[in-house]
Amino acid sequence: MASPMDLNFSYGGRDGANQKIINVNANGTMTYTNQGGTQGTNAFGMTVSYAL
């Protein structure tokens, strides 16, 4: 069985201006980093699926 690893991917909001990098860490935590554009203070939701 493979060891857990850190993953990251891009996320674009519906307005096309709210770009983020989503980090899914091997320890089970998730973080995000804003990538420029108009960064509002509104919450955002997403679903992540990946093979284990």
Side-chain angles (χ1 to χ4, degrees):
M1 188 159 115
S3 298
M5 61 177 17
D6 294 341
L7 303 170
N8 65 62
F9 57 92
S10 298
Y11 171 86
R14 289 184 187 192
D15 59 7
N18 220 348
Q19 305 298 314
K20 302 176 185 335
I21 296 295
I22 307 296
N23 303 294
V24 181
N25 303 304
N27 66 7
T29 61
M30 290 178 59
T31 59
Y32 73 91
T33 305
N34 289 326
Q35 297 295 298
T38 303
Q39 301 296 324
T41 57
N42 296 333
F44 68 96
M46 62 174 208
T47 300
V48 177
S49 298
Y50 56 95
L52 297 177

